[in-house]
Amino acid sequence: MSFAERGYEATSLDALAAGLEVRKQTILYWFPSKEALLDAVIDRSAADLTAALETALASAGDGWDRVEAVVRSVFRLAARRPELLGLVREVGRLGPPSATRLTAALEPLVARANDFLRAEMDAGHMRRHEPRLLLLAIYSTVIGMVTEVGVLRAVGEEPTARSLVRRRAELLDLLRSALLVDGGRREGDAGRSG
Amino acid sequence: MSFAERGYEATSLDALAAGLEVRKQTILYWFPSKEALLDAVIDRSAADLTAALETALASAGDGWDRVEAVVRSVFRLAARRPELLGLVREVGRLGPPSATRLTAALEPLVARANDFLRAEMDAGHMRRHEPRLLLLAIYSTVIGMVTEVGVLRAVGEEPTARSLVRRRAELLDLLRSALLVDGGRREGDAGRSG
DNA sequence: GGGCTCACTTACCATATGGTAGACAACCGT
DNA sequence: ACGGTTGTCTACCATATGGTAAGTGAGCCC
């Protein structure tokens, strides 16, 4: 869906319909309004995203493997269905009520990630951080590495498939260094342990 | 400028004019078109951003201090002039030609950052990474930590001033772990200094 | 075959938008 | 005092947009 590429406001129903080789009224027959269409797209995307991550996590091991599985899954989506991640980005920008809908749909994933991170920290595998802020940071980085085509070009990297692989490797490297305890240490020892 | 908040397409000249307590035609008198206005805003924002970072860097020390100075500067901007960073995000999303204009205006900063990172890596202070991709990652994380209000709420953090300080601390912590050699494990080659 | 629903279409509309044309008042140097 | 410039305004306009109303034809059920 080109809501993700051109942006919601910039995408007219006529343009959308033309892309589907259909008249605008056909869209309004299936969806009562443009916003309802967006909601439907959000629901569908959230479901797809959840399914993809769920699948990836199902066959993943423990600990760091799970982080890596999620990242790889997201990058696979970036290659196969870039609109999906673009939509997440776009909806986040639109703010309520659409953003609320999306975050609500993804809340279970967030909660799981939160619990996971906390558990890993408690187990001493990961450095201590505020899990919520850590999630925000990881989210931003991953989405950015995957969707920021403009910035990518600005730093002189063309958004090819090969580049995507490089970015994935780079990102995993960074995350490992940032998160894993045995991937670095030395910081003021974690004061507050639950 | 509310281009940053509501988005370029979603911001009408009338709305803009109303905010300025002026008629739309006054805007079109000073700027020949809406896009010209955007360009002007971009130029101004890029200049302000550059000035802010330049100032921060001028009184910063060496090595990691410089990264920290930049991050602190960006967070200060986030508190004082949130539209500035919002605009960067928005323009990045708009794509060419506006994005090209912005990236061109910020290119000197990018080049400097690139050189800096490479030098730090060569000196063995930072882990080896592709500087360009590293920049992309840092950019995404910083902008995200500062502008992703929706995601912030989604993870259960209210975007207050206090939260901003927490986010800054968290981000600096993460960056230190991720980037610094002595903040992490033994990386293959690069002889670790100090 | 008549009625009915379904998927989709054409016709149309109210509104909002970016932009043009030109009036009008304040201010200027002479 | 006056012609010109400057900044803002009112009056319009062409177009695009989301949405409503009203068909139209294919398939189906009896």
Side-chain angles (χ1 to χ4, degrees):
Chain A
M1 190 61 66
S2 70
F3 279 165
E5 301 154 21
R6 294 160 127 71
Y8 174 70
E9 296 100 346
T11 303
S12 75
L13 289 181
D14 279 307
L16 234 36
L20 295 170
E21 291 183 339
V22 157
R23 303 298 154 241
K24 170 176 60 172
Q25 309 314 324
T26 306
I27 295 180
L28 287 169
Y29 169 77
W30 291 99
F31 307 94
S33 72
K34 193 187 179 186
E35 201 182 337
L37 169 60
L38 176 61
D39 283 351
V41 171
I42 288 176
D43 289 347
R44 173 69 177 273
S45 299
D48 288 357
L49 192 58
T50 300
L53 294 188
E54 214 78 68
T55 303
L57 282 173
S59 60
D62 284 341
W64 181 254
D65 265 6
R66 297 183 85 71
V67 177
E68 199 155 324
V70 167
V71 169
R72 286 180 181 275
S73 179
V74 170
F75 271 78
R76 211 171 305 132
L77 282 178
R80 295 230 237 275
R81 304 187 48 193
E83 356 78 50
L84 242 180
L85 302 172
L87 188 85
V88 172
R89 188 173 188 260
E90 167 71 5
V91 170
R93 184 190 72 95
L94 286 173
S98 305
T100 311
R101 174 175 274 259
L102 178 60
T103 58
L106 295 181
E107 201 276 334
L109 284 178
V110 172
R112 269 177 77 177
N114 221 318
D115 293 347
F116 169 79
L117 289 176
R118 200 180 295 274
E120 290 295 308
M121 291 176 198
D122 287 346
H125 300 152
M126 287 189 186
R127 302 170 199 264
R128 280 238 163 261
H129 288 286
E130 188 86 30
R132 300 177 299 175
L133 296 183
L134 184 54
L135 260 181
L136 171 59
I138 298 177
Y139 166 84
S140 302
T141 315
V142 174
I143 288 287
M145 291 287 275
V146 152
T147 65
E148 288 277 10
V149 188
V151 182
L152 202 62
R153 283 221 170 81
V155 299
E157 175 106 3
E158 281 307 302
T160 63
R162 187 173 304 274
S163 156
L164 196 65
V165 175
R166 262 215 306 282
R167 278 177 274 158
R168 187 185 63 193
E170 191 78 30
L171 177 61
L172 283 172
D173 225 38
L174 279 170
L175 286 180
R176 231 175 282 129
S177 313
L179 301 183
L180 285 185
V181 164
D182 68 0
R185 196 54 249 266
R186 173 124 216 91
E187 216 44 76
D189 60 341
R192 30 91 134 137
S193 84
Chain B
M1 190 62 67
S2 71
F3 280 166
E5 302 153 20
R6 296 160 127 71
Y8 174 70
E9 297 100 346
T11 303
S12 75
L13 289 182
D14 279 307
L16 233 37
L20 295 171
E21 291 183 339
V22 157
R23 303 298 155 244
K24 170 175 61 172
Q25 310 314 325
T26 304
I27 295 180
L28 287 169
Y29 170 75
W30 292 99
F31 306 94
S33 72
K34 191 187 180 185
E35 200 181 341
L37 169 60
L38 176 63
D39 283 351
V41 171
I42 288 175
D43 290 346
R44 172 71 177 271
S45 299
D48 289 358
L49 192 59
T50 300
L53 295 188
E54 215 76 69
T55 303
L57 283 173
S59 61
D62 284 342
W64 180 254
D65 265 7
R66 297 184 85 69
V67 177
E68 198 155 324
V70 167
V71 169
R72 285 179 182 277
S73 180
V74 170
F75 271 79
R76 212 172 306 130
L77 282 178
R80 296 230 237 273
R81 303 186 49 195
E83 355 77 51
L84 243 181
L85 302 172
L87 188 85
V88 171
R89 187 173 188 261
E90 167 71 5
V91 170
R93 183 191 71 95
L94 286 173
S98 306
T100 312
R101 173 175 275 259
L102 178 59
T103 58
L106 295 180
E107 201 275 334
L109 284 178
V110 172
R112 270 177 77 177
N114 220 319
D115 292 347
F116 168 79
L117 289 176
R118 200 181 296 275
E120 290 294 309
M121 290 175 199
D122 287 346
H125 299 152
M126 286 189 186
R127 304 169 198 266
R128 282 236 163 263
H129 288 287
E130 187 85 31
R132 301 176 299 174
L133 296 183
L134 185 53
L135 259 181
L136 171 59
I138 298 177
Y139 165 83
S140 302
T141 314
V142 174
I143 288 287
M145 291 288 274
V146 153
T147 66
E148 288 279 10
V149 188
V151 182
L152 202 62
R153 283 221 170 82
V155 299
E157 176 106 1
E158 281 307 302
T160 63
R162 187 173 303 276
S163 157
L164 195 67
V165 175
R166 262 215 307 280
R167 276 177 275 159
R168 187 186 63 193
E170 190 78 30
L171 177 61
L172 282 173
D173 224 39
L174 279 170
L175 285 181
R176 232 176 281 130
S177 314
L179 301 183
L180 285 184
V181 165
D182 68 2
R185 60 140 187 260
R186 63 280 105 101
E187 188 80 273
D189 50 329
R192 52 162 70 190
S193 78

